Amino acid sequence: MTAFISEHRRLAPGFLDRVVVTGSATAGDWWEGTSDIDLVLVIRRAPSQDELVALGELHRSTISEGPVDGVYLTEQQLAEGPDTVGAAPQVVEGALDTQARGTQLTWVTWREVESGVEGVVDAVGAITWMPSARRFPGAEEGARAFSRHNLRDYWQPLGIRARAQLFSRCDSDPVDPVTVRWIALGPARLVATIETGDVISKSASGAFAAERWPAHAEFLLRAVASRTGEDIPFTVADARQALDLLDQCVEITGVDGR
């Protein structure tokens, strides 16, 4: 990250002020070849079009080793919270969208900033890393509310579509491990946020879900092991189990009552 930031400053002098590393890279859950690096890049001013092109290329150059993703925000936008930020430059899987809506502009990102690691860039380009001291009064409840809505509005329809796609397939047919572990771990992570207010890592969400739903424990153990780089095959039967777990996660939003 220090090398990335140095190159970033060379391409856009006077643009970047601070960087907060969030997500798996700060939660002990970053795995080479599997994980990306998530950032909140705190900027001093709006970038020029030429700078956006150059920075887009910089982010794109990281894809082969694990994309460096993130969102670009001013200090004022960070202080005001995501509800007032209509759009911002965002990078997803190494691709920069200069005016993206939604995506990382949620209270979950702000909650992750609170437990992130902040790099302070001084006048000569040196970077000092330290635990984030930022706190946002609305972040915890905002992250809970976002997680409820995301389970109902995004994950529940996705589960319905996925079941339809699997309907005529044999249980023994192979399926993509990345997709299976994404469905197995993503919704459970949201349940953990709803119940604790914290944003935990994807691997930690596997342990959380295994304790909460023991019937899925063996499957979740395999999903977490796959995330760490183990070559573990998955079948349609596993995909259906992931969707069963997704349904149980969605049910939490009804029990929760909000």
Side-chain angles (χ1 to χ4, degrees):
M1 284 314 307
T2 299
F4 174 86
I5 293 167
S6 296
E7 180 64 8
H8 198 291
R9 283 174 54 82
R10 187 187 70 80
L11 294 170
F15 174 52
L16 189 62
D17 184 22
R18 295 167 180 247
V19 175
V20 184
V21 184
T22 64
S24 59
T26 63
D29 193 32
W30 189 90
W31 302 96
E32 187 173 359
T34 300
S35 303
D36 56 11
I37 297 176
D38 296 306
L39 307 176
V40 172
L41 301 108
V42 186
I43 56 178
R44 296 188 176 99
R45 56 170 174 79
S48 69
Q49 187 58 41
D50 287 345
E51 287 173 334
L52 285 172
V53 171
L55 295 177
E57 289 295 330
L58 174 62
H59 282 281
R60 193 174 299 113
S61 72
T62 67
I63 292 175
S64 62
E65 296 183 2
V68 176
D69 292 343
V71 56
Y72 287 83
L73 298 167
T74 64
E75 284 285 4
Q76 181 176 347
Q77 288 173 318
L78 261 180
E80 291 176 349
D83 295 340
T84 64
V85 183
Q90 298 189 58
V91 185
V92 178
E93 296 183 358
L96 173 63
D97 183 337
T98 60
Q99 284 295 305
R101 298 183 178 275
T103 311
Q104 298 163 88
L105 297 176
T106 77
W107 281 111
V108 169
T109 298
W110 268 249
R111 187 68 168 145
E112 287 187 302
V113 166
E114 294 181 330
S115 58
V117 176
E118 185 159 343
V120 181
V121 184
D122 69 15
V124 297
I127 302 162
T128 302
W129 294 101
M130 64 189 71
S132 173
R134 298 174 185 270
R135 298 294 180 268
F136 307 101
E140 181 175 335
E141 187 49 45
R144 292 179 194 266
F146 170 81
S147 298
R148 295 183 195 103
H149 290 302
N150 195 244
L151 279 168
R152 289 193 295 254
D153 299 341
Y154 175 78
W155 283 103
Q156 187 173 33
L158 182 149
I160 293 170
R161 294 193 301 271
R163 282 192 187 280
Q165 292 170 358
L166 294 174
F167 180 75
S168 61
R169 296 187 60 184
C170 296
D171 277 354
S172 59
D173 287 351
V175 292
D176 176 30
V178 174
T179 302
V180 172
R181 66 177 184 249
W182 174 58
I183 295 174
L185 303 176
R189 192 182 185 202
L190 294 173
V191 172
T193 298
I194 292 169
E195 297 189 346
T196 69
D198 295 326
V199 181
I200 64 175
S201 72
K202 291 184 179 69
S203 294
S205 74
F208 169 87
E211 183 174 350
R212 204 178 198 293
W213 295 288
H216 298 295
E218 186 275 335
F219 163 68
L220 287 162
L221 182 65
R222 287 190 288 121
V224 171
S226 173
R227 175 172 167 74
T228 66
E230 290 190 35
D231 184 14
I232 297 176
F234 289 91
T235 65
V236 167
D238 293 317
R240 291 191 172 113
Q241 186 169 3
L243 291 169
D244 290 341
L245 179 58
L246 187 161
D247 289 344
Q248 290 178 286
C249 291
V250 171
E251 286 175 10
I252 295 299
T253 64
V255 173
D256 180 83
R258 286 176 284 179

